[in-house]
Amino acid sequence: MTNTQDAGVDTSSIPQQSNSQSTFLTLSRLLPFLKPYRRQFAFAGIALLIAASATLTIPYAFRQMIDLGFSKIGSGGNGIEHVNLTFLALFGVAVVLGIATAARFYMVSWLGERVTADIRNAVYAHVITQSPEFFETTQTGEVLSRLTTDTSLIQTVVGTSISLALRNLLLFIGGLVMLFVTSPMLSSIIIVMLVIVILPIIFFGRRVRKLSRDSQDRIADASALAGEILNAMPTVQAYTHEEIEAKRFSNSVENAFKTAMRRIRARSLLTMIAILLIFGAIVFVLWLGAHAVVNGEMSGGKLGQFILYASIVAGAVGALSEVLGEAQRAAGATERLLELMSVRSPITEVDNPLGLPANNSRGAKISIRNLRFHYPSRPETAALDKLNLEIQAGETIALVGASGAGKTTLFQLLLRFYDPEQGTICIDDISIRELNLLELRSTIGIVPQDTIIFSANALENIRFGRADASDDEVIKAAKMAAAHDFIERLPDGYNSFLGERGVRLSGGQKQRIAIARALLKNPRLMLLDEATSALDAESERLVQQALETAMQGRTTIIIAHRLATVKRADRIVVLDHGHIVEVGNHTSLMALNGAYAKLAKLQFHIEENSNTTEEIT
C-alpha cells in the first residue's frame, strides 16, 4: 500500500504548473468552458448592472431628503412632500434592486452548476482515455479528489464569486465616481490611502493562494488513502490492520487539517488587514468631512451622501478581498484540474486509420515481429525482447511460462494498452498502429484472470460486452458460459444486483460472467487469461465445451496454467523472460525434455496425477 501520509500521492505522471502564474491568468484558462454560455453571462451582466445602478442611487436619494426635505421642514417650507417623494422613490429602487438581484442570483447559480458539470464531464472523459501507464503512477483517489473537491471550488467561483466580484467592482467604480462628484478633495485623499493599503493585501493574497493549493493536495492524499483501503477491506481485516489503517487515515486527515488551518489563518489575517486599513482610511476622511460641515464648507446632505458612497466603496473593497480569497483557492483547484487535462496518452491514433477486412468465419491472422517492450515503471527490465510469432486465422495458441515471462504483457500490447519500443503487431497484415483504436478493440474479446464485476445487475454486467445486445442475446451468452443456471437462482434472476466489485458472487461465478461478456461480443480474436482457473470440475467441463464452440471461426490465444487447456491448443508457445524458447504441441515439447517439460513436471504433475486417478477409479 502506498504511503500517502508524508509525501502525498504520486502524481509524477501529471505535469505540474508553475505557481508564478497570477490567479486571474490561471482562472482565465477556464474561458473555453464559459464561452458556450455567453448569452447567459450577458443576461446576468444586465441584471448585475441594474442592481448596481439601483444601489448607487440610494445615497443620492438620502442627500435630497436631507437637503431638500429636512432643511425645508426646519425653515418652514413644504419639505414633507420631498420626504414622501424620496421614500416612494426609495421603495421603487428597492423593487428594481430585488428583481435584478434575484435574476442575477438565478443566472449565475445556473452558470456555476452548468460549467462545473461540463468540467467534470471533460476531465472524466479525458482521464478514461488514458493508457494504463497513467494509472501506474496516479492513484484513482487523487483523480477523484480533483473531480469532486476541486470542481466544487470552481463552482463557488463561477456560481458566486465572479458575480460578487463584478457586482462589487461596479459598486467600487461607481461609488468612487460619485465620491469625486460629491467632494473631489476628500475623494483624492481616500484614493491615496487606498493605494497604500492595497499593497499588503496583494502580498498576503499570494500567500493564501499557495496555501490553498497545498490544502487541496493534502485533501487528495486523504481521499487516495481512503479509496485504497476501502477497496481492500477483506485483506485489511484478515490481517487485523483496522486500527493501523484508521491511524494512518487519521494522520492524513490531521495533515490536511493543519494545512487548511494555515490557509485559514493567512486568509483571516488578510481580511483583518483589509478591513482595518480601509475603514481606518475612510474614518479619517470622514473626520475631515465633519469638520468641513462644521465650518460651512459642505452641506449635511452632501456629507451624508459622501458617507454612504464611502461605505459602499469600503464594503465593495472588503467584499473584493473576500472574493480574492475564494479566487486564490479556485486558482489552486483550477491548476490541479488543468494539469490533469494536460496529460496526453502515449497511445495515439493516425490521422487516416486503415480498416480491417470484412469479418469472416476464419478469425484473425496475427503477426508479431521483433517485438521489444519495457514497462514505464520498470524501464530497466525488458518484459518482451525480440519476440516473433505468426498465428494463423482460426488457430488456438497456448502461452505458457513462469510468472513474469511476458504472457499478460503480450495481451496488453495486442490491445494497444501500451505501444512497444520496437517491432510491430499486425492483424490481417495491417499494423495495429494504423487501426482506429475502437475498431481494434472491438475485434478482440478478453477474459481476464482478475474478473471485473460492475455495481449493476447480472444482465447489464454481461451486456457490457456489447451495449446494443438484446436480453435474449445476453441470456444466450450466459448459457454458453454455464452462467445461466446460477443467475436464475439469484433472488431477482438476471435483474439481481451483484454488489460492488461482485461481492455477492463466488470467484467461479464472476469468471463465468466474464466469459459470457466476451462471448456476447463475438470477437474475431479471443484472449483468455486462464479463463477456467477459478471453476470447479463440473463448471470447468461446461465452460470448456462452451469455449470450444466459441473458438470455432476465431483466433484464440490462451494464457494457460491447466494441462487440459494446454492439450487442446493447436500450438504451445513457451515464454521465458520475454523470449520464445519453444514452440510445438504437448507431445512434441515433452519429447524435447526442455523448458516446457520442466514446467509440465512442476506445474502440471498434480493435475496429471489427479486425472490418472480419476481414470483408474
Side-chain angles (χ1 to χ4, degrees):
M1 289 176 290
T2 305
N3 187 351
T4 62
Q5 180 178 326
D6 300 318
V9 297
D10 183 0
T11 57
S12 58
S13 66
I14 304 177
Q16 301 296 311
Q17 299 288 338
S18 170
N19 284 329
S20 61
Q21 288 185 343
S22 72
T23 298
F24 298 107
L25 181 59
T26 300
L27 292 176
S28 69
R29 298 173 67 191
L30 293 174
L31 286 176
F33 294 99
L34 306 180
K35 283 182 179 178
Y37 308 109
R38 289 186 291 266
R39 180 180 299 178
Q40 288 84 350
F41 273 106
F43 287 149
I46 292 170
L48 187 64
L49 281 171
I50 294 171
S53 300
T55 302
L56 290 171
T57 61
I58 293 174
Y60 180 77
F62 272 94
R63 175 185 174 182
Q64 297 297 313
M65 180 177 63
I66 294 171
D67 287 348
L68 301 180
F70 294 161
S71 60
K72 287 190 177 182
I73 292 175
S75 60
N78 194 20
I80 192 63
E81 293 183 5
H82 288 283
V83 172
N84 292 338
L85 287 172
T86 299
F87 276 99
L88 187 62
L90 280 174
F91 178 75
V93 169
V95 171
V96 172
L97 180 61
I99 294 173
T101 301
R104 174 189 61 83
F105 173 79
Y106 175 83
M107 289 307 306
V108 297
S109 297
W110 183 92
L111 284 165
E113 296 288 347
R114 181 68 267 164
V115 170
T116 303
D118 290 349
I119 292 173
R120 282 181 178 145
N121 287 334
V123 173
Y124 184 77
H126 181 73
V127 167
I128 63 174
T129 63
Q130 299 304 306
S131 70
E133 179 181 344
F134 172 82
F135 296 99
E136 279 187 34
T137 52
T138 306
Q139 287 184 299
T140 54
E142 166 73 13
V143 176
L144 290 174
S145 173
R146 299 192 186 205
L147 276 172
T148 53
T149 308
D150 291 355
T151 50
S152 295
L153 289 174
I154 293 174
Q155 178 183 349
T156 300
V157 169
V158 176
T160 304
S161 298
I162 288 179
S163 171
L164 287 176
L166 291 174
R167 173 180 177 272
N168 285 287
L169 186 61
L170 287 173
L171 290 177
F172 175 77
I173 295 171
L176 210 57
V177 170
M178 293 307 296
L179 282 176
F180 273 98
V181 170
T182 306
S183 177
M185 182 192 70
L186 294 179
S187 300
S188 299
I189 297 173
I190 279 186
I191 292 297
V192 172
M193 298 189 72
L194 284 178
V195 170
I196 294 173
V197 303
I198 281 174
L199 294 177
I201 293 175
I202 294 174
F203 172 77
F204 279 102
R206 290 178 177 173
R207 168 75 173 161
V208 169
R209 178 185 172 184
K210 181 182 181 302
L211 291 172
S212 296
R213 171 63 192 258
D214 292 343
S215 179
Q216 291 306 111
D217 287 341
R218 298 294 77 75
I219 291 171
D221 292 350
S223 298
L225 177 60
E228 180 183 31
I229 298 307
L230 291 176
N231 285 328
M233 281 311 299
T235 302
V236 171
Q237 293 176 349
Y239 284 89
T240 63
H241 267 233
E242 295 93 335
E243 186 175 344
I244 295 172
E245 295 307 330
K247 186 175 180 180
R248 285 182 68 211
F249 182 74
S250 175
N251 290 338
S252 184
V253 170
E254 283 300 312
N255 195 13
F257 171 76
K258 289 175 183 177
T259 306
M261 288 309 300
R262 287 197 296 271
R263 170 182 58 80
I264 291 169
R265 281 194 294 269
R267 187 173 172 185
S268 300
L269 186 60
L270 172 64
T271 303
M272 182 188 72
I273 290 173
I275 291 174
L276 286 178
L277 294 179
I278 292 169
F279 275 89
I282 289 173
V283 168
F284 173 72
V285 172
L286 293 181
W287 176 76
L288 295 177
H291 278 271
V293 172
V294 171
N295 296 330
E297 299 168 0
M298 178 185 289
S299 69
K302 185 177 282 190
L303 179 61
Q305 176 179 315
F306 188 88
I307 290 173
L308 290 175
Y309 279 127
S311 299
I312 289 173
V313 170
V317 173
L320 285 172
S321 69
E322 284 286 324
V323 171
L324 181 62
E326 292 293 337
Q328 300 286 2
R329 293 189 69 195
T334 301
E335 281 182 344
R336 286 162 48 84
L337 285 170
L338 292 176
E339 285 166 6
L340 205 56
M341 291 290 288
S342 68
V343 176
R344 290 292 173 263
S345 173
I347 307 302
T348 58
E349 297 186 53
V350 295
D351 293 334
N352 298 301
L354 301 176
L356 287 171
N359 196 4
N360 53 58
S361 58
R362 297 186 305 109
K365 176 187 174 183
I366 309 297
S367 301
I368 301 170
R369 299 165 188 153
N370 201 29
L371 207 62
R372 181 178 176 82
F373 174 70
H374 296 73
Y375 281 102
S377 57
R378 303 189 297 274
E380 70 286 347
T381 305
L384 295 174
D385 192 13
K386 297 180 181 179
L387 194 77
N388 290 278
L389 183 63
E390 293 286 332
I391 303 174
Q392 299 304 314
E395 191 175 13
T396 297
I397 297 294
L399 301 178
V400 300
S403 177
K407 305 182 296 294
T408 301
T409 300
L410 184 58
F411 278 18
Q412 293 184 319
L413 293 180
L414 282 165
L415 286 158
R416 275 203 81 193
F417 290 161
Y418 300 90
D419 278 336
E421 299 100 41
Q422 180 182 319
T424 59
I425 300 175
C426 296
I427 296 180
D428 292 338
D429 298 320
I430 299 174
S431 171
I432 60 174
R433 290 178 185 257
E434 301 294 320
L435 296 173
N436 176 275
L437 275 176
L438 181 63
E439 182 175 9
L440 168 65
R441 292 170 182 169
S442 297
T443 306
I444 302 173
I446 183 167
V447 180
Q449 191 170 23
D450 297 325
T451 303
I452 300 298
I453 300 295
F454 299 98
S455 297
N457 60 33
L459 198 70
E460 295 307 318
N461 262 285
I462 297 174
R463 207 195 310 270
F464 197 83
R466 181 159 59 86
D468 60 351
S470 66
D471 289 356
D472 290 339
E473 289 174 314
V474 170
I475 294 171
K476 181 181 178 181
K479 288 179 178 178
M480 291 177 65
H484 176 73
D485 290 342
F486 85 76
I487 292 175
E488 284 285 277
R489 289 194 296 271
L490 294 173
D492 297 312
Y494 279 85
N495 291 315
S496 296
F497 177 66
L498 302 183
E500 187 176 4
R501 303 173 70 199
V503 294
R504 298 184 180 183
L505 300 179
S506 68
Q509 289 172 335
K510 291 180 187 178
Q511 208 154 26
R512 279 179 276 172
I513 291 284
I515 294 169
R517 188 185 292 162
L519 292 174
L520 181 65
K521 190 175 183 180
N522 192 27
R524 295 176 61 196
L525 172 60
M526 183 80 84
L527 306 178
L528 306 176
D529 191 351
E530 191 50 77
T532 61
S533 62
L535 304 182
D536 55 61
E538 176 62 20
S539 294
E540 181 183 1
R541 183 182 65 80
L542 295 171
V543 171
Q544 284 288 2
Q545 292 175 358
L547 289 175
E548 286 177 11
T549 303
M551 290 176 192
Q552 295 177 8
R554 60 172 55 91
T555 305
T556 307
I557 305 176
I558 308 170
I559 294 176
H561 299 290
R562 304 286 286 268
L563 183 60
T565 305
V566 173
K567 283 185 172 182
R568 284 181 173 87
D570 297 319
R571 282 190 295 160
I572 300 168
V573 177
V574 185
L575 293 172
D576 182 36
H577 293 94
H579 298 84
I580 294 178
V581 293
E582 291 177 358
V583 179
N585 59 31
H586 175 72
T587 304
S588 66
L589 292 178
M590 288 298 291
L592 283 176
N593 198 29
Y596 176 79
K598 182 180 179 181
L599 276 172
K601 290 173 184 176
L602 292 173
Q603 194 166 331
F604 303 147
H605 77 282
I606 295 175
E607 188 174 349
E608 256 185 328
N609 292 338
S610 175
N611 291 340
T612 302
T613 303
E614 288 178 7
E615 288 176 6
I616 293 173
T617 303

